[in-house]
CSV table of all heavy atoms in Angstrom, one decimal:
chain,number,residue,atom,x,y,z
A,324,GLN,N,114.1,210.1,268.8
A,324,GLN,CA,114.5,208.9,269.5
A,324,GLN,C,114.6,207.7,268.6
A,324,GLN,O,115.6,207.0,268.5
A,324,GLN,CB,113.6,208.6,270.7
A,324,GLN,CG,113.7,209.6,271.8
A,324,GLN,CD,112.9,209.2,273.0
A,324,GLN,OE1,111.7,208.8,272.9
A,324,GLN,NE2,113.5,209.3,274.2
A,325,THR,N,113.5,207.3,267.9
A,325,THR,CA,113.6,206.0,267.2
A,325,THR,C,113.1,206.3,265.7
A,325,THR,O,112.2,207.0,265.5
A,325,THR,CB,112.7,204.9,267.8
A,325,THR,OG1,112.7,203.7,267.0
A,325,THR,CG2,111.2,205.4,267.9
A,326,ALA,N,113.8,205.6,264.8
A,326,ALA,CA,113.5,205.7,263.4
A,326,ALA,C,112.7,204.4,263.0
A,326,ALA,O,112.4,204.3,261.8
A,326,ALA,CB,114.7,205.9,262.5
A,327,ILE,N,112.4,203.5,263.9
A,327,ILE,CA,111.6,202.4,263.6
A,327,ILE,C,110.2,202.8,263.6
A,327,ILE,O,109.4,202.5,264.5
A,327,ILE,CB,111.9,201.2,264.6
A,327,ILE,CG1,113.3,201.0,264.8
A,327,ILE,CG2,111.2,199.9,264.1
A,327,ILE,CD1,113.6,199.9,265.9
A,328,ARG,N,109.8,203.4,262.5
A,328,ARG,CA,108.4,204.0,262.4
A,328,ARG,C,107.8,203.4,261.1
A,328,ARG,O,108.5,203.2,260.1
A,328,ARG,CB,108.4,205.5,262.3
A,328,ARG,CG,108.9,206.2,263.6
A,328,ARG,CD,108.7,207.7,263.5
A,328,ARG,NE,108.6,208.3,262.2
A,328,ARG,CZ,109.1,209.5,262.0
A,328,ARG,NH1,109.6,210.2,263.0
A,328,ARG,NH2,109.0,210.0,260.8
A,329,PRO,N,106.5,203.2,261.0
A,329,PRO,CA,105.9,202.7,259.8
A,329,PRO,C,106.1,203.6,258.6
A,329,PRO,O,106.3,203.1,257.5
A,329,PRO,CB,104.4,202.7,260.2
A,329,PRO,CG,104.4,202.5,261.7
A,329,PRO,CD,105.6,203.3,262.2
A,330,ASP,N,106.0,204.9,258.8
A,330,ASP,CA,106.2,205.8,257.6
A,330,ASP,C,107.6,205.7,257.1
A,330,ASP,O,107.8,205.7,255.8
A,330,ASP,CB,105.8,207.3,258.0
A,330,ASP,CG,106.7,207.8,259.1
A,330,ASP,OD1,107.1,207.1,260.0
A,330,ASP,OD2,107.0,209.0,259.0
A,331,VAL,N,108.6,205.6,257.9
A,331,VAL,CA,110.0,205.5,257.5
A,331,VAL,C,110.2,204.2,256.8
A,331,VAL,O,110.8,204.1,255.7
A,331,VAL,CB,111.0,205.7,258.7
A,331,VAL,CG1,112.4,205.4,258.2
A,331,VAL,CG2,110.9,207.1,259.2
A,332,GLN,N,109.7,203.1,257.4
A,332,GLN,CA,109.9,201.8,256.8
A,332,GLN,C,109.2,201.7,255.5
A,332,GLN,O,109.7,201.0,254.6
A,332,GLN,CB,109.3,200.7,257.8
A,332,GLN,CG,109.6,199.3,257.4
A,332,GLN,CD,111.1,198.9,257.5
A,332,GLN,OE1,111.7,199.3,258.5
A,332,GLN,NE2,111.6,198.3,256.5
A,333,ALA,N,108.0,202.3,255.3
A,333,ALA,CA,107.3,202.3,254.1
A,333,ALA,C,108.2,202.9,253.0
A,333,ALA,O,108.2,202.4,251.8
A,333,ALA,CB,106.0,203.0,254.2
A,334,CYS,N,108.9,204.0,253.3
A,334,CYS,CA,109.8,204.6,252.3
A,334,CYS,C,110.9,203.6,251.9
A,334,CYS,O,111.2,203.4,250.7
A,334,CYS,CB,110.4,205.9,252.8
A,334,CYS,SG,109.2,207.2,253.1
A,335,ILE,N,111.5,203.0,252.9
A,335,ILE,CA,112.6,202.1,252.7
A,335,ILE,C,112.2,200.8,251.9
A,335,ILE,O,112.9,200.3,251.0
A,335,ILE,CB,113.3,201.7,254.0
A,335,ILE,CG1,114.0,202.9,254.6
A,335,ILE,CG2,114.2,200.5,253.9
A,335,ILE,CD1,114.5,202.8,256.0
A,336,ASP,N,111.0,200.3,252.2
A,336,ASP,CA,110.5,199.1,251.6
A,336,ASP,C,110.0,199.3,250.1
A,336,ASP,O,110.0,198.4,249.3
A,336,ASP,CB,109.3,198.5,252.4
A,336,ASP,CG,109.8,197.9,253.7
A,336,ASP,OD1,111.0,197.6,253.8
A,336,ASP,OD2,108.9,197.7,254.5
A,337,ASN,N,109.7,200.6,249.8
A,337,ASN,CA,109.2,200.9,248.5
A,337,ASN,C,110.4,200.8,247.5
A,337,ASN,O,111.3,201.7,247.5
A,337,ASN,CB,108.5,202.3,248.4
A,337,ASN,CG,107.8,202.5,247.1
A,337,ASN,OD1,108.1,201.9,246.1
A,337,ASN,ND2,106.9,203.5,247.2
A,338,PRO,N,110.4,199.9,246.5
A,338,PRO,CA,111.5,199.8,245.6
A,338,PRO,C,111.6,201.0,244.6
A,338,PRO,O,112.6,201.2,243.9
A,338,PRO,CB,111.2,198.5,244.8
A,338,PRO,CG,109.7,198.3,244.9
A,338,PRO,CD,109.3,198.9,246.3
A,339,ARG,N,110.6,201.9,244.6
A,339,ARG,CA,110.6,203.0,243.8
A,339,ARG,C,111.0,204.3,244.5
A,339,ARG,O,111.0,205.4,243.9
A,339,ARG,CB,109.2,203.3,243.2
A,339,ARG,CG,108.5,202.0,242.6
A,339,ARG,CD,107.3,202.4,241.7
A,339,ARG,NE,107.8,203.0,240.5
A,339,ARG,CZ,108.3,202.4,239.5
A,339,ARG,NH1,108.4,201.0,239.5
A,339,ARG,NH2,108.8,203.0,238.4
A,340,THR,N,111.4,204.1,245.7
A,340,THR,CA,111.8,205.3,246.6
A,340,THR,C,113.3,205.2,246.9
A,340,THR,O,113.8,204.2,247.3
A,340,THR,CB,111.0,205.3,247.9
A,340,THR,OG1,109.6,205.4,247.5
A,340,THR,CG2,111.4,206.4,248.8
A,341,ILE,N,114.0,206.4,246.8
A,341,ILE,CA,115.3,206.6,247.3
A,341,ILE,C,115.2,207.3,248.6
A,341,ILE,O,114.6,208.3,248.7
A,341,ILE,CB,116.2,207.4,246.3
A,341,ILE,CG1,116.5,206.6,245.1
A,341,ILE,CG2,117.5,207.8,247.0
A,341,ILE,CD1,117.2,207.4,244.0
A,342,THR,N,115.7,206.6,249.7
A,342,THR,CA,115.6,207.2,251.0
A,342,THR,C,116.9,207.9,251.4
A,342,THR,O,118.0,207.2,251.3
A,342,THR,CB,115.3,206.1,252.1
A,342,THR,OG1,114.0,205.4,251.7
A,342,THR,CG2,115.1,206.7,253.5
A,343,VAL,N,116.8,209.1,251.7
A,343,VAL,CA,118.0,209.9,252.0
A,343,VAL,C,118.1,210.2,253.5
A,343,VAL,O,117.2,210.8,254.1
A,343,VAL,CB,118.0,211.3,251.3
A,343,VAL,CG1,119.2,212.1,251.6
A,343,VAL,CG2,117.8,211.1,249.8
A,344,LEU,N,119.1,209.6,254.2
A,344,LEU,CA,119.2,209.7,255.6
A,344,LEU,C,120.1,211.0,255.9
A,344,LEU,O,121.2,211.1,255.4
A,344,LEU,CB,119.9,208.5,256.2
A,344,LEU,CG,119.2,207.2,256.0
A,344,LEU,CD1,120.0,206.0,256.7
A,344,LEU,CD2,117.8,207.2,256.5
Side-chain angles (χ1 to χ4, degrees):
Q324 293 186 311
T325 180
I327 310 179
R328 295 190 333 213
D330 61 324
V331 174
Q332 188 67 46
C334 293
I335 290 169
D336 288 343
N337 188 339
R339 314 196 66 81
T340 297
I341 292 176
T342 302
V343 182
L344 302 182

